[in-house]
Amino acid sequence: MTCHKRYKIQKKVREHHRKLRREAKKRGHKKPRKDPGVPNSAPFKEALLREAELRKQQLEELKQQQKLDRQKEQEKKRKLETNPVGEPSDVEPVEELEQCKTKKAKLSKQHPKKLYCQELKKVIEASDVLLEVLDARDPLGCRCPQVEDAIVQSGHKKLVLVLNKSDLIPRENLESWLNYLKKELPTVVFKASTYLKDKGKITKMKKVVPLKHKVCFGKECLLKLLGGFQETYGRAIHVGVIGFPNVGKSSIINSLKKERICNVGVSMGLTRNMQIVPLDKQITIIDSPSLIVSPLNSLTALALRSPASIETVKPMEAASAILSQADARQVVLHYTVPDYKNSLELFTKLAQRRGLHQKGGSPNVERAAKLLWSEWTGASLSYYCHPPTSWTPPPHFNESIVAGMKRGLNLEELEKSNAHSIEAIKGPHLAKSILFQSSGLTNGVIEEKDIPEELPRQRERKQEEGKDNENMVSEEEIVDCEEADEKISDMPPIEEKREPPPPEESTAGESASSLNLDKMTQEDDAYDFSTDYV
């Protein structure tokens, strides 16, 4: 907002308040009248006061009873939530609170990544169908072979790939990726709606044409697919949603439910616990926390797939790794900066272009790197990758597993629905997108034993703190030594007992030197050493 506009608004607000004060002054302030009570001349005054007192006591008792009834109802609801239906609960509410506190304390002591692994295993075990959400800009980099292998080994569970953020890549690239992925697993083209009303808020319906970012594509196709799975199972099914951070898991659930039930945001790794969302009577969706990226991956995979809160890569390194695999010419056109020789030169030019400066006017290179990193991990930048030229099945899949995943599906109807979604989605042009070279499949961590107790960045910090402490100790020792030397220098000299030479053997020169020594000792005795201490 410009200063002119802000000052104009402030002036209007002041004028409005002045007008309100003026009107209130004209009306005058009316004081509330006090209750005069029962006059002394009234007959049966004591009886009336007694009745009023009794009425007051009855109202207070009624309020207390209503309060107790509300507390009992809340306790019953808590017991029903904690205990399954049909099992009586003999645990007192105080004990329940203590148990909850102890559980929370245990969870807080555990490593956050270990909690993510536990929640992910719960989601895989509880689900009949699993939706692996992929970012359409880099679908191969969003696939985790370890998780897919765990789903295959867990039993007869179906796995479906969901290509989210399909509106950020060109249409030709989206079609080529769909043709590549559908050879292996059933794939759904999807575009989640980013503008949804909050849960519980009632908004007035207006007859307005919906905006582009409000529209959801691929919803009917996905619901038909889940309905087909439910018919084959012949019972109510649970659908788990898994994927790496910031691929849009919670946005897909909100789009299917038409409500903002799950938390969504720009920052990565917002969902930390599994969340059960009933879609209808037959389908229940389970939102899961993000998959954990293995530290053995490349820097680019760590930069694009790891949450910023627990990231082991520094912003400069992450942004440089991303730039190394992007087309330099298209990066220059997108950010409107001149040609660059290395990533540092681009960060300086970008900082100058965006007005990111430090004290003294020098460009803030680190802030520019963070800005570029956030744009590439966000949901607004358009970049795309080419699929591999030849399709080779991964080691954890074979022909029988692929056939089992597609069994019971109407593949022709699925292709028609995907084609309709691709036509409806208006993706960017090839010239306006940045070509990116994918780093391949991203390895994840499922087992808790594979997670290190201490993050590498924490180790570096501890080592730096240890070095600082050593330096501090050495400096303190030096200071102590200097102080000790000063004290020693300030102390009076120690007189040595000398035996005078015998007079017979002393020569004339020796007698002169002995006289000089006697004079020096006399001067030392006369000197006041208290001045040095002062």
Side-chain angles (χ1 to χ4, degrees):
M1 189 186 290
T2 59
C3 292
H4 174 72
K5 194 174 181 180
R6 187 167 70 248
Y7 296 150
K8 193 175 179 181
I9 291 165
Q10 290 172 0
K11 188 181 177 183
K12 291 282 183 186
V13 169
R14 284 197 300 272
E15 287 175 2
H16 177 68
H17 288 324
R18 201 180 297 121
K19 186 180 178 183
L20 291 176
R21 283 198 299 272
R22 203 181 299 121
E23 288 176 0
K25 197 174 181 181
K26 284 178 184 178
R27 286 196 303 269
H29 300 286
K30 294 180 180 179
K31 292 183 180 179
R33 292 181 179 180
K34 291 183 180 179
D35 186 11
V38 183
N40 292 328
S41 60
F44 312 111
K45 179 183 175 181
E46 292 181 359
L48 288 170
L49 289 173
R50 208 178 297 115
E51 284 178 8
E53 192 69 30
L54 283 169
R55 218 177 292 117
K56 193 176 178 181
Q57 286 179 2
Q58 285 174 2
L59 283 170
E60 285 180 358
E61 287 175 2
L62 185 66
K63 283 181 182 178
Q64 286 285 97
Q65 189 64 34
Q66 287 174 353
K67 191 177 179 181
L68 289 170
D69 292 340
R70 282 197 300 270
Q71 286 178 355
K72 285 179 181 178
E73 285 178 3
Q74 286 176 358
E75 286 175 7
K76 283 179 183 178
K77 283 180 182 177
R78 284 197 206 101
K79 286 175 184 177
L80 287 171
E81 286 175 2
T82 51
N83 299 324
V85 180
E87 291 184 10
S89 60
D90 300 329
V91 185
E92 294 180 359
V94 179
E95 292 179 0
E96 288 179 4
L97 287 170
E98 288 177 359
Q99 287 176 2
C100 289
K101 284 178 183 177
T102 52
K103 281 180 182 177
K104 283 181 181 178
K106 285 178 182 177
L107 289 173
S108 61
K109 286 179 183 177
Q110 285 186 355
H111 200 282
K113 287 190 176 182
K114 290 185 178 179
L115 291 175
Y116 288 177
C117 285
Q118 291 172 10
E119 295 293 314
L120 181 65
K121 285 179 181 178
K122 286 179 189 176
V123 171
I124 292 171
E125 287 174 7
S127 302
D128 302 308
V129 181
L130 286 139
L131 304 177
E132 189 175 10
V133 184
L134 311 178
D135 193 337
R137 297 174 291 183
D138 185 12
L140 204 64
C142 295
R143 292 187 65 178
C144 181
Q146 287 80 13
V147 174
E148 291 179 3
D149 189 17
I151 292 165
V152 169
Q153 291 179 1
S154 60
H156 300 286
K157 296 183 187 292
K158 301 286 185 180
L159 181 62
V160 179
L161 302 178
V162 181
L163 271 175
N164 194 22
K165 302 181 184 179
S166 302
D167 58 324
L168 296 176
I169 61 171
R171 184 179 291 180
E172 301 85 0
N173 188 251
L174 182 59
E175 289 174 354
S176 59
W177 270 114
L178 184 62
N179 293 329
Y180 178 81
L181 293 170
K182 73 181 182 183
K183 294 176 184 176
E184 192 172 334
L185 290 168
T187 309
V188 179
V189 175
F190 203 90
K191 189 261 171 186
S193 56
T194 55
Y195 183 84
L196 292 164
K197 64 179 181 180
D198 291 337
K199 186 183 176 183
K201 287 188 179 179
I202 300 167
T203 54
K204 292 181 180 179
M205 297 298 290
K206 295 180 181 179
K207 292 182 180 179
V208 182
V209 179
L211 298 174
K212 287 181 182 178
H213 63 279
K214 294 184 184 180
V215 179
C216 172
F217 296 104
K219 178 184 167 185
E220 289 80 10
C221 178
L222 188 58
L223 288 174
K224 281 181 186 177
L225 192 69
L226 296 177
F229 283 130
Q230 190 268 324
E231 287 176 3
T232 53
Y233 277 100
R235 56 177 175 82
I237 60 169
H238 295 274
V239 181
V241 183
I242 58 172
F244 282 109
N246 215 25
V247 292
K249 301 184 292 296
S250 302
S251 299
I252 287 172
I253 295 169
N254 291 340
S255 301
L256 294 173
K257 190 68 179 174
K258 293 184 181 178
E259 275 184 322
R260 192 172 178 176
I261 290 176
C262 303
N263 289 330
V264 291
V266 180
S267 57
M268 303 170 81
L270 278 176
T271 307
R272 297 185 178 181
N273 298 310
M274 63 182 287
Q275 187 177 355
I276 298 167
V277 179
L279 195 62
D280 54 25
K281 291 181 180 179
Q282 300 297 328
I283 301 169
T284 304
I285 297 179
I286 307 171
D287 193 10
S288 68
S290 306
L291 302 179
I292 299 163
V293 183
S294 173
L296 303 174
N297 286 297
S298 62
L299 277 173
T300 313
L302 287 171
L304 291 172
R305 306 280 165 252
S306 228
S309 56
I310 51 172
E311 185 54 56
T312 58
V313 184
K314 293 178 181 178
M316 295 278 287
E317 295 175 1
S320 301
I322 291 167
L323 285 172
S324 64
Q325 293 187 251
D327 189 359
R329 187 177 59 84
Q330 291 174 345
V331 168
V332 164
L333 290 171
H334 176 76
Y335 289 105
T336 59
V337 291
D339 290 334
Y340 60 94
K341 294 178 182 177
N342 51 26
S343 57
L344 185 62
E345 189 177 350
L346 176 68
F347 298 150
T348 52
K349 289 176 180 178
L350 184 63
Q352 289 169 355
R353 176 77 179 169
R354 300 288 176 92
L356 307 174
H357 298 293
Q358 293 176 340
K359 285 183 180 179
S362 59
N364 196 337
V365 180
E366 191 171 353
R367 196 174 164 193
K370 282 182 182 178
L371 177 69
L372 188 138
W373 187 18
S374 63
E375 283 187 6
W376 279 80
T377 53
S380 59
L381 186 70
S382 175
Y383 66 91
Y384 66 97
C385 305
H386 288 305
T389 52
S390 60
W391 179 77
T392 53
H396 54 276
F397 281 140
N398 51 34
E399 292 180 1
S400 61
I401 292 168
V402 170
M405 293 290 180
K406 294 179 181 179
R407 193 177 293 120
L409 290 177
N410 191 350
L411 297 175
E412 291 181 1
E413 190 177 353
L414 181 64
E415 284 183 11
K416 287 179 183 177
S417 302
N418 283 330
H420 179 69
S421 299
I422 290 168
E423 286 178 6
I425 295 168
K426 292 183 179 179
H429 197 264
L430 275 168
K432 293 182 180 180
S433 299
I434 301 171
L435 180 62
F436 184 75
Q437 188 180 356
S438 178
S439 55
L441 297 170
T442 305
N443 294 315
V445 180
I446 300 176
E447 298 298 328
E448 297 172 31
K449 61 183 180 181
D450 297 334
I451 297 169
E453 291 292 331
E454 206 172 37
L455 295 172
R457 200 163 188 176
Q458 291 177 352
R459 287 177 194 163
E460 287 175 7
R461 284 177 185 170
K462 284 188 177 181
Q463 286 175 3
E464 287 174 2
E465 285 174 5
K467 287 177 183 177
D468 293 340
N469 291 333
E470 286 175 7
N471 294 334
M472 288 291 288
V473 168
S474 60
E475 285 173 5
E476 286 173 2
E477 287 175 357
I478 291 162
V479 169
D480 292 340
C481 293
E482 288 176 355
E483 287 177 357
D485 293 339
E486 287 176 2
K487 286 179 182 178
I488 290 164
S489 63
D490 292 341
M491 288 176 67
I494 300 166
E495 293 183 2
E496 294 182 359
K497 292 182 180 180
R498 296 186 185 88
E499 293 181 359
E504 294 176 359
E505 297 178 358
S506 61
T507 57
E510 288 174 353
S511 61
S513 62
S514 62
L515 287 169
N516 291 333
L517 283 168
D518 291 336
K519 283 179 184 178
M520 286 171 70
T521 50
Q522 285 172 8
E523 286 174 1
D524 290 340
D525 291 333
Y527 183 73
D528 187 9
F529 289 99
S530 61
T531 55
D532 290 340
Y533 287 104
V534 171

